[in-house]
């Protein structure tokens, strides 16, 4: 639609839906604007459908969807120029609807908030590992000023972790990030930390406050920023504009900091004390059971801040009897997660993931610093985290059965082993720890998620590796000039086939991007695609989660969520590969993209890997659409109507 004025179109759509105030949130997928309207009755659907550039309007899943086609990113960008509805400072008041079980949604939330700080965490963890090694072997005096400076450099991000998470959580929940940082700063303020350490009761206007140490904590600040969003939106609605700018953060701070201290602290402390009592009791009648709990779930306790209830017990044991049995199983707990991370590093084909996993595993093994491993690798991938727990359960049980403990409060790590060597049966401690590492490593290596597994290419380099290198270096993967037409399915799945440059007969073959059952376009459960408004094509109910390029050409669109890709061949054929129906709602959960916008691909190159179980469990249709979006400009488009397709079979024939 070269004649469409997209700035005017964005303005007309805005006016048609009742203005900016009637829009709660807006996002876009590969073909449509997805709006949540406060009152759909205010939208003039008939007028919007008549606008030049609008294909149709549909209402589904609580969204008001304006179908535009391939140019939807342009309209979205123009909408951002005339409103505050898009980008980091968007005024969205509601998060997109999320599906799936609660625990997976929680993990995805934590992972997304940690994602921007993973690299600094990994760097700091590695530095802590080297510093620990340097002091352990006498290369650096622990009391020296040099060590103090270097230790502060390595420890700061962990100590002030709530402040860092306040920034990323603010972007996630659409709040004022500086107010979020101020809340986090109050939680780790030196005098607040001191209050948590004193024995005297603490009160706020006479209300008792149960204090806890919020340094290095995760959940309190995330909960605080989530609630901050509601407070800010309420205050923005009710406060006069003349005083809104300064009274909103003022009132938010006055409410949120005391609220967190009065609620999160007591709830966490109560749960932690109950946990501590139960585990200490277990050590008296079934040490192996207590060891299994500590070894398997210590990292979970840390995630929820419950470990602070166990730390005083550990310190008390060391002070009274010279060692702590509670510390004994923690070697297995920590090093099993490091073992799972190491397996991810060895197994994954994802260059970015491997780059995080390497130093994260090293800092976990050497220094017992697991934040980079947990939040950057294991927790986002889920299975490695679970396998780390499994290894910790068995290893912790073995260590505790031998009466293992620690004579000092050290980070459980290889460099901290001497502290565990004189209490109980040290051989069983080593056996338990080694067993934990081996179990976590092997389970992850053999049963963990496969990220961008190798696929042979003509040049002998795996396509996913080339794609990952292209992403890292921002250099497109060279595409061979494929000429001629090969027999359908002649190559093995994942390799280049016919494609995209046309043939002497003036036809281009578009291949099936995934093996599965072909579905006629009219039978697809999305009325826009089924109507043919986006062009001709077909659906494929996928048999597996590896999606390949159906044609050679350039990636013109690659959704950040990994669910849709637009490819244009040298012949001018424009193909949309859309994985699942309405899967943009998953916000990338379960999807791993292997290509980027502007990259050159060959037919059979990997586009993405999708976890079909995640999509299905979330309640979405996995049908993958293959559409020729510029059908009207071509001589003819004929798609396979039904039947079983192998990846690489001819799915659509196009006359150019």
């Amino acid at each position: 639609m070269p004649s469409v004025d997209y700035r005017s179109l964005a303005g007309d759509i805005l006016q048609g839906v009742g203005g900016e105030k009637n829009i709660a949130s807006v996002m876009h997928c590969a073909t449509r604007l997805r709006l949540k309207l406060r009152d759909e009755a205010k939208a003039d659907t008939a007028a919007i459908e008549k606008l030049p550039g609008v294909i149709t309007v549909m209402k589904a899943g609580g969204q008001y969807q304006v179908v535009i086609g391939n140019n939807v990113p342009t309209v979205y960008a123009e909408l951002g120029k005339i409103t505050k509805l898009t980008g980091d400072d968007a005024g969205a008041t509601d998060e997109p609807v999320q599906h799936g079980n609660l625990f997976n949604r929680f993990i995805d939330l934590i992972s997304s908030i940690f994602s921007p700080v993973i690299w600094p965490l990994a760097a700091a963890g590695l530095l802590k590992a080297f510093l620990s090694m340097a002091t352990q072997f006498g290369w650096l005096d622990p009391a020296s000023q040099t060590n103090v400076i270097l230790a502060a450099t390595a420890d700061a991000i962990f100590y002030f972790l709530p402040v860092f998470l306040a920034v990323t959580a603010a972007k996630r929940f659409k709040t004022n990030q500086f107010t979020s940082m101020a809340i986090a700063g109050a939680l780790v303020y030196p005098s607040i930390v001191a209050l948590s350490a004193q024995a005297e009761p603490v009160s706020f206007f006479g209300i008792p406050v149960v204090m806890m140490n919020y340094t290095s904590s995760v959940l309190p600040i995330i909960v605080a920023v989530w609630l901050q969003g509601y407070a800010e939106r309420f205050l923005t609605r009710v406060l006069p504009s003349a005083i809104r700018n300064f009274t909103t953060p003022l009132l938010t701070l006055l409410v949120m900091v005391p609220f967190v201290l009065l609620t999160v602290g007591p709830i966490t402390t109560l749960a932690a004390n109950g946990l501590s009592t139960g585990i200490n009791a277990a050590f008296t009648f079934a040490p192996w059971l207590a060891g299994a709990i500590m070894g398997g779930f210590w990292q979970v306790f840390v995630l929820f801040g419950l470990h602070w209830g166990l730390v005083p017990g550990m310190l008390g044991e060391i002070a009274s009897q010279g060692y702590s049995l509670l510390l004994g199983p923690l070697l297995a707990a920590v090093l099993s997660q490091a073992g799972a991370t190491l397996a991810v590093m060895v197994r994954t084909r994802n260059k970015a993931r491997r780059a995080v996993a390497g130093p994260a595993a090293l800092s976990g093994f050497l220094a017992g610093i697991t934040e980079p491993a947990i939040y950057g690798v294991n927790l986002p991938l889920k299975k490695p985290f679970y396998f780390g727990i499994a290894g910790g359960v068995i290893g912790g049980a073995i260590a505790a059965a031998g009466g293992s403990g620690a004579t000092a409060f050290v980070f459980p790590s290889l460099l901290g082993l001497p502290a565990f060597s004189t209490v109980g049966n040290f051989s069983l401690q080593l056996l338990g720890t080694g067993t934990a590492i081996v179990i976590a490593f092997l389970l992850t290596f053999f049963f963990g998620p496969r990220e961008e597994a190798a696929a042979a290419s003509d040049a002998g380099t795996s396509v996913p590796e080339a794609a990952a290198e292209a992403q890292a270096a921002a250099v497109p993967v060279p595409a061979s000039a494929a000429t001629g037409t090969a027999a359908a399915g002649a190559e093995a799945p994942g390799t280049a086939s016919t494609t995209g440059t046309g043939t002497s007969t003036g036809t281009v073959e578009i291949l099936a991007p995934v093996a599965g059952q072909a579905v006629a376009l009219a039978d697809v459960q999305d009325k826009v695609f089924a109507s043919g408004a986006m062009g001709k094509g077909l659906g494929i109910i996928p048999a597996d989660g590896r999606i390949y390029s159906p044609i050679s050409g350039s990636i013109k669109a690659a959704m950040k969520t990994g669910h849709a890709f637009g490819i244009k061949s040298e012949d001018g054929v424009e193909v949309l590969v859309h994985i699942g129906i309405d899967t943009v709602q998953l916000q990338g959960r379960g999807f791993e993209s292997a290509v980027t916008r502007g990259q050159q691909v060959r037919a059979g190159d990997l586009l993405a890997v999708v976890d079909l179980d995640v999509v299905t469990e979330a309640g979405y249709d996995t049908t993958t659409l293959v559409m020729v979006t510029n059908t009207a400009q071509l001589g003819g488009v004929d798609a396979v109507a039904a039947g079983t397709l192998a990846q690489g079979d001819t799915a659509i024939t196009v006359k150019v």
Side-chain angles (χ1 to χ4, degrees):
M1 304 175 189
S3 62
V4 175
D5 182 340
Y6 294 108
R7 172 66 66 87
S8 297
L9 177 57
D12 291 340
I13 291 173
L14 185 65
Q15 181 179 355
V17 298
E20 183 173 350
K21 291 184 178 179
N22 194 38
I23 302 175
S25 67
V26 61
M27 58 189 296
H28 76 89
C29 61
T31 60
R32 59 194 83 176
L33 286 176
R34 294 171 175 265
L35 304 100
K36 282 189 176 182
L37 302 183
R38 302 184 193 281
D39 184 358
E40 285 194 1
K42 293 182 179 180
D44 189 344
T45 301
I48 295 174
E49 287 182 326
K50 293 178 182 178
L51 294 174
V54 173
I55 296 173
T56 188
V57 173
M58 64 180 294
K59 303 171 187 178
Q63 294 180 335
Y64 190 88
Q65 303 176 11
V66 182
V67 183
I68 293 168
N70 293 340
N71 294 305
V72 67
T74 304
V75 178
Y76 181 81
E78 293 296 338
L79 193 62
K81 295 176 183 177
I82 59 176
T83 70
K84 294 181 179 180
L85 293 168
T86 66
D88 288 340
D89 298 323
T93 61
D94 295 296
E95 286 297 304
V97 176
Q98 292 184 332
H99 301 270
N101 70 68
L102 186 62
F103 185 66
N104 281 341
R105 287 162 56 188
F106 170 75
I107 289 178
D108 291 334
L109 172 67
I110 297 296
S111 300
S112 67
I113 289 174
F114 264 92
S115 181
V117 297
I118 285 303
W119 285 111
L121 277 174
L126 201 57
L127 179 56
K128 283 178 71 69
F130 289 144
L131 279 176
S132 180
M133 183 185 299
T135 55
Q136 184 81 11
F137 293 109
W139 304 334
L140 184 65
D141 182 1
S144 69
Q145 294 175 341
T146 299
N147 185 60
V148 171
I149 293 172
L150 291 176
T153 303
D155 286 339
I157 191 171
F158 298 102
Y159 186 92
F160 295 106
L161 187 59
V163 179
F164 290 85
L165 298 183
V167 176
T168 56
K171 291 184 177 181
R172 170 80 180 199
F173 298 124
K174 309 296 183 185
T175 65
N176 184 306
Q177 65 184 35
F178 298 104
T179 303
S180 302
M181 292 170 68
I183 294 171
L187 296 181
V188 297
Y189 196 71
S191 58
I192 298 294
V193 175
L195 286 177
S196 69
Q198 72 178 27
E200 293 79 9
V202 178
S203 65
F204 178 73
F205 286 113
I207 304 172
V209 180
V210 179
M211 298 298 298
M212 66 171 283
N213 190 332
Y214 293 91
T215 61
S216 303
S217 63
V218 174
L219 285 184
I221 188 59
I222 293 177
V223 172
V225 175
W226 174 60
L227 294 174
Q228 174 197 343
Y230 287 97
E232 286 182 346
R233 290 189 285 272
F234 171 75
L235 292 171
T236 299
R237 288 197 302 270
V238 301
L239 291 175
S241 59
I243 63 171
R244 183 184 302 149
N245 288 344
F246 67 89
T247 51
T248 296
L250 170 64
L251 294 175
T252 301
L253 286 171
L254 282 174
V255 171
M256 290 309 307
V257 173
F259 178 80
V260 172
L261 294 177
L262 287 166
T263 58
V264 174
I267 292 171
T268 304
T269 301
L270 181 64
N273 288 341
L275 182 67
S276 178
T277 301
I279 292 176
N280 277 297
F283 264 108
T284 63
F285 69 85
W288 65 269
L289 176 60
I293 295 172
M294 289 292 286
F297 298 98
W298 174 252
Q299 297 293 354
V300 179
F301 299 158
V302 172
L303 177 62
F304 285 92
L306 299 178
H307 65 302
W308 291 116
L310 296 165
V311 169
M314 297 173 182
L315 296 174
E317 284 183 327
I318 293 173
S320 63
Q321 60 191 26
Y323 61 89
S324 170
L325 294 178
L326 284 169
L327 276 166
L330 299 194
L331 267 176
V334 170
L335 299 189
S336 62
Q337 292 290 341
T341 306
L342 180 64
V344 171
M345 186 198 73
V346 174
R347 175 189 176 89
T348 187
R349 298 287 182 174
N350 185 313
K351 298 286 188 180
R353 184 82 69 189
R354 184 184 295 129
V356 174
L362 183 61
S363 67
F365 279 121
L366 292 183
I369 304 299
T370 55
E371 283 87 349
I374 297 296
Y375 300 116
V377 182
N378 296 356
L379 201 58
L381 295 178
K382 298 184 181 69
K383 285 184 178 180
F385 185 66
Y386 304 152
F387 295 150
I389 289 176
V393 166
I394 297 173
I398 294 172
S404 179
T407 56
F409 188 76
V410 297
F411 281 105
S413 62
L414 294 179
L415 292 177
L417 268 177
F420 297 83
S421 62
T422 59
V423 180
N425 190 323
F426 188 52
S427 296
L428 283 182
Q429 172 65 270
L430 293 178
L431 176 63
T433 302
T435 300
I437 295 170
V438 170
I439 288 174
F441 181 91
L442 292 179
L443 286 176
T444 302
F445 185 82
F446 289 109
F447 303 107
R450 292 187 179 276
E451 294 188 290
E452 301 179 13
S457 71
D458 294 343
T461 301
S462 74
V463 172
E465 285 180 337
E469 289 167 358
Q471 287 179 315
V475 177
V477 179
S480 62
T483 57
T485 302
E491 285 90 351
T495 60
S497 180
T498 79
T499 52
T501 59
T503 69
S504 59
T505 61
T507 62
V508 173
E509 291 182 348
I510 298 173
L511 310 183
V514 64
Q517 188 68 32
V519 178
L521 194 61
D523 296 329
V524 170
Q525 298 303 306
D526 182 293
K527 74 174 187 179
V528 175
F529 289 130
S531 70
M534 295 303 303
K536 293 184 178 181
L538 78 162
I540 300 175
I541 301 174
D544 63 72
R546 300 179 61 76
I547 311 297
Y548 299 91
S549 177
I551 195 169
S552 296
S554 175
I555 301 293
K556 295 299 183 183
M559 297 296 293
K560 292 181 180 179
T561 51
H563 79 286
F565 302 88
I567 310 164
K568 186 175 183 178
S569 75
E570 293 180 2
D571 306 276
V573 178
E574 297 177 6
V575 179
L576 170 67
V577 178
H578 195 288
I579 308 168
I581 306 295
D582 269 343
T583 44
V584 66
Q585 301 282 13
L586 289 171
Q587 296 184 294
R589 180 161 57 91
F591 290 84
E592 187 75 31
S593 178
V595 296
T596 56
R597 187 174 182 272
Q599 184 174 320
Q600 296 293 317
V601 294
R602 291 168 292 185
D605 283 1
L606 188 69
L607 292 179
V609 177
V610 55
D611 188 331
L612 298 178
D613 290 337
V614 169
V615 177
T616 302
E617 289 172 5
Y620 294 105
D621 187 339
T622 61
T623 301
T624 297
L625 285 303
V626 188
M627 312 285 298
V628 179
T629 55
N630 62 337
T631 294
Q633 302 169 14
L634 302 170
V637 176
D638 296 311
V640 173
T644 301
L645 292 172
Q647 188 275 317
D649 284 353
T650 300
I652 303 173
T653 303
V654 178
K655 294 181 180 179
V656 295

